[in-house]
Amino acid sequence: MLKRRFERGAGILCHISSLPNKYGIGSLGKEAYEFADFLEKSKIKYWQILPLVQTGYGDSPYQSVCCNSGNPYFIDLEQLRDEGLLDDEELEEAEMPAGKVNYGALYNMRYRTLRRAYARFNINDPEFVAFVDSGLFDDYALFMSLKSVYGGTFHDFPTAYKFKEKPVIDEFRKNMYKKEYCFWQFLQYEFSVQWKKLREYVNGKGIKLIGDIPLYMAADSADVWARPDMFMLDEDLNPVMMAGVPPDYFSATGQLWGNPLYDWKAAAKDGYSWWIERIRRSYELYDIVRMDHFRGFDRFYAVPAGATTAETGEWMDGPGIKLFEAAERALGHLNVIAEDLGVIDEGVVRLRTHTGFPGMKIMLFAFDGNAENEYLPRHIKPNSVTYTGTHDNDTAFGFVGGMTEEQFASFIKLLRSSLRYEKVSFPIVSRKDAAHALVMCALGSKSDMCIIPVQDILGLDNSARMNVPSVSSGNWQFRLEEIPGRKVAAWLRKAVKDNGRL
């Protein structure tokens, strides 16, 4: 495989949902452009986001109703107003209180507003007709239309619809074409138009967008419904085995995700075409793709259906290098970051080395007193990506704030040693200083790329945490109060320069 390194630089992790505005959740509107302006002023080269997909149960961007979808919540309502699809009064009615995302209230309000916009939209517009005819979102629009009519999961659909029998599906599409089918196509069309415009703006500032490919599909998704042959399902389309990870740093009982697992032998029979199309679609959205749960491509953890925890399970073989070689033959060089956290063995290391994809290093994991800890700066190699933490971690300030005095004293000693190794001079007196020093330590690493969550740039505590793994509620709600200003940009610009990341 072709092996290329990323340009040395710094990036910020901030999901679209975390941007501020008046409408309850971040969008592709003016605040996204203002955030890009902030990144440019800060000399930031990379903007990393979480999956852009339409979320399902639990509101997680890693549990989507369709892997290729765009989240309708991210459609900027003000741009719809400018298109003549909403009026000022409707826009005012869509306003929501500032603060964390309230998904329940958002669900009850936003689709009502979007249907008002759709009612004024011309479905005979040639560009929209071409979009629909491309077939990219046919399964998605059918799936969501069926859910609108029958509710529940696809197991609650009438049998012929559940098993996607072509004659009845074609008749359903025809009957629901204007009322439902084109509504869901309209949402994806508007998202696509707005995202393309934003991406061009961001790229025009010399900033690359990093997006996420979740490894697994939600059990109740258009993907599983439309292509059951790609998954390990029984004859009634129920998962035989479920995805998860064994007990680890995040959970003593492991993480039971509940997603159906792939039938990799079936995928291999047609040259991994389903996966290649998924990767191709990702590069239409992003410049660089972070492959979530990369270890699952080497071996994956399979938990028997019906289990209540992930403590029992077995490791099974994934597609390995064959998938990525097939994708590279079809698509050319793959700009990929391998999320190689968790239980990593020699097989994962070999796969990552063979592909040449950089892995991830996490500063919050480095200072446990083990001199051989792979996340310590002295052990970090250039072809890697260093983070203070990810969306699944404490914030840096929340991390140090939760330490006892004894733990903090030991941590500071180790952190100062790493800063000296990197020739970074930074005084540490308070816990706030220590959180700030973690950011400087990450920026000073040898990694070609360093990504800092926006919460750590702003020194926020764990009330700003994005996600707590294995906790089913209260996640994905963090939002900025405002776009960071010139003072933050000036500090960040200096830190980027001092660490050779311009």
Side-chain angles (χ1 to χ4, degrees):
M1 293 186 67
L2 296 174
K3 297 181 181 180
R4 301 176 189 166
R5 296 251 302 274
F6 291 120
E7 179 185 8
R8 183 171 173 84
I12 300 296
L13 170 59
C14 180
H15 194 35
I16 299 299
S17 65
S18 296
L19 296 172
N21 65 21
K22 299 186 291 186
Y23 306 105
I25 192 169
S27 77
L28 307 180
K30 62 179 183 297
E31 290 81 8
Y33 291 81
E34 291 170 2
F35 191 76
D37 293 341
F38 161 74
L39 297 180
E40 181 186 35
K41 291 173 185 174
S42 304
K43 300 300 181 182
I44 293 296
K45 295 178 182 177
Y46 304 101
W47 179 1
Q48 181 171 338
I49 58 175
L50 305 183
L52 287 169
V53 292
Q54 179 176 329
T55 55
Y57 178 76
D59 309 305
S60 169
Y62 295 89
Q63 294 283 351
S64 175
V65 299
C66 176
C67 70
N68 289 331
S69 63
N71 194 333
Y73 291 158
F74 296 164
I75 296 171
D76 179 43
L77 300 182
E78 293 181 359
Q79 291 185 54
L80 296 185
R81 186 266 316 276
D82 295 343
E83 292 177 44
L85 301 179
L86 293 173
D87 60 33
D88 289 337
E89 183 178 345
E90 289 165 334
L91 208 58
E92 187 175 342
E93 289 177 5
E95 293 182 11
M96 297 180 69
K100 292 186 175 183
V101 180
N102 182 336
Y103 285 102
L106 191 64
Y107 178 80
N108 290 329
M109 292 178 61
R110 184 56 57 87
Y111 282 103
R112 183 169 66 243
T113 302
L114 292 171
R115 284 188 182 275
R116 286 175 175 173
Y118 172 64
R120 299 186 180 104
F121 181 74
N122 177 17
I123 65 171
N124 296 314
D125 178 272
E127 290 187 4
F128 178 71
V129 171
F131 181 85
V132 173
D133 288 347
S134 74
L136 181 60
F137 292 105
D138 182 59
D139 287 333
Y140 162 84
L142 285 167
F143 180 76
M144 295 307 301
S145 297
L146 285 161
K147 287 178 78 72
S148 295
V149 174
Y150 296 105
T153 72
F154 73 76
H155 288 281
D156 299 309
F157 297 169
T159 300
Y161 296 141
K162 174 182 174 180
F163 290 95
K164 203 172 182 280
E165 296 177 8
K166 190 176 187 308
V168 294
I169 285 292
D170 289 345
E171 185 68 17
F172 177 84
R173 184 192 295 107
K174 179 180 177 182
N175 293 337
M176 302 300 293
Y177 187 80
K178 184 173 183 180
K179 182 180 179 182
E180 286 293 333
Y181 180 83
C182 278
F183 168 67
W184 297 103
Q185 291 275 8
F186 159 76
L187 297 182
Q188 294 308 312
Y189 174 76
E190 289 292 340
F191 177 91
S192 297
V193 168
Q194 293 188 10
W195 176 256
K196 182 180 179 181
K197 181 181 174 184
L198 176 62
R199 181 181 178 183
E200 288 175 352
Y201 185 82
V202 172
N203 287 165
K205 292 181 172 296
I207 299 166
K208 290 183 168 58
L209 283 156
I210 304 173
D212 234 351
I213 289 188
L215 176 58
Y216 293 121
M217 302 293 100
D220 182 36
S221 64
D223 311 289
V224 176
W225 171 72
R227 290 298 305 270
D229 56 310
M230 289 291 101
F231 301 89
M232 296 169 61
L233 307 177
D234 64 20
E235 61 183 13
D236 201 38
L237 307 186
N238 292 305
V240 176
M241 305 286 277
M242 299 182 296
V245 292
D248 61 8
Y249 171 91
F250 293 112
S251 174
T253 58
Q255 299 177 46
L256 183 60
W257 299 330
N259 309 75
L261 294 167
Y262 295 107
D263 184 339
W264 286 112
K265 291 181 180 178
K269 287 180 181 178
D270 70 349
Y272 302 103
S273 63
W274 185 88
W275 265 95
I276 290 171
E277 174 59 22
R278 189 180 178 202
I279 295 170
R280 184 197 64 77
R281 168 65 177 161
S282 294
Y283 285 116
E284 290 181 355
L285 298 173
Y286 318 119
D287 302 297
I288 300 166
V289 171
R290 191 193 83 128
M291 289 281 186
D292 183 56
H293 199 58
F294 182 76
R295 77 134 303 115
F297 294 105
D298 177 59
R299 291 194 306 152
F300 56 92
Y301 193 64
V303 183
T308 57
T309 74
E311 293 174 277
T312 59
E314 60 178 305
W315 289 99
M316 302 179 72
D317 290 336
I321 192 64
K322 293 179 181 178
L323 168 63
F324 298 106
E325 289 177 337
E328 191 172 76
R329 285 194 297 270
L331 304 173
H333 175 69
L334 305 177
N335 290 318
V336 167
I337 296 170
E339 188 274 288
D340 56 346
L341 307 176
V343 181
I344 302 302
D345 56 25
E346 291 183 3
V348 185
V349 174
R350 281 196 302 270
L351 180 59
R352 191 189 63 214
T353 301
H354 196 158
T355 61
F357 301 155
M360 292 172 56
K361 306 299 179 184
I362 308 298
M363 285 290 98
L364 297 191
F365 297 167
F367 305 105
D368 61 358
N370 176 10
E372 301 306 313
N373 187 312
E374 66 176 301
Y375 300 119
L376 283 169
R378 67 184 67 250
H379 299 311
I380 293 177
K381 300 295 192 294
N383 189 33
S384 62
V385 185
T386 290
Y387 295 73
T388 45
T390 74
H391 60 272
D392 284 332
N393 296 124
D394 292 326
T395 66
F397 186 39
F399 176 71
V400 297
M403 294 177 180
T404 65
E405 289 299 328
E406 183 179 359
Q407 289 170 333
F408 183 64
S410 175
F411 166 74
I412 290 302
K413 183 178 180 181
L414 295 169
L415 179 57
R416 284 173 174 156
S417 175
S418 286
L419 289 169
R420 286 194 296 272
Y421 171 80
E422 294 179 334
K423 296 182 173 58
V424 174
S425 177
F426 192 87
I428 305 174
V429 177
S430 67
R431 297 189 184 224
K432 199 82 170 179
D433 294 335
H436 196 162
L438 271 170
V439 172
M440 298 301 291
C441 196
L443 287 169
S445 73
K446 293 179 183 177
S447 290
D448 293 331
M449 189 186 297
C450 173
I451 306 292
I452 309 295
V454 69
Q455 295 96 318
D456 293 346
I457 294 297
L458 300 174
L460 302 179
D461 63 23
N462 270 351
S463 64
R465 183 170 175 166
M466 193 63 162
N467 180 52
V468 181
S470 298
V471 174
S472 60
S473 62
N475 292 319
W476 317 110
Q477 296 179 319
F478 166 71
R479 294 185 74 202
L480 293 167
E481 294 180 1
E482 60 184 3
I483 301 298
R486 285 190 290 180
K487 185 176 180 180
V488 176
W491 165 78
L492 189 51
R493 184 167 61 246
K494 183 177 186 304
V496 167
K497 180 180 179 181
D498 290 348
N499 288 286
R501 295 190 178 276
L502 285 179

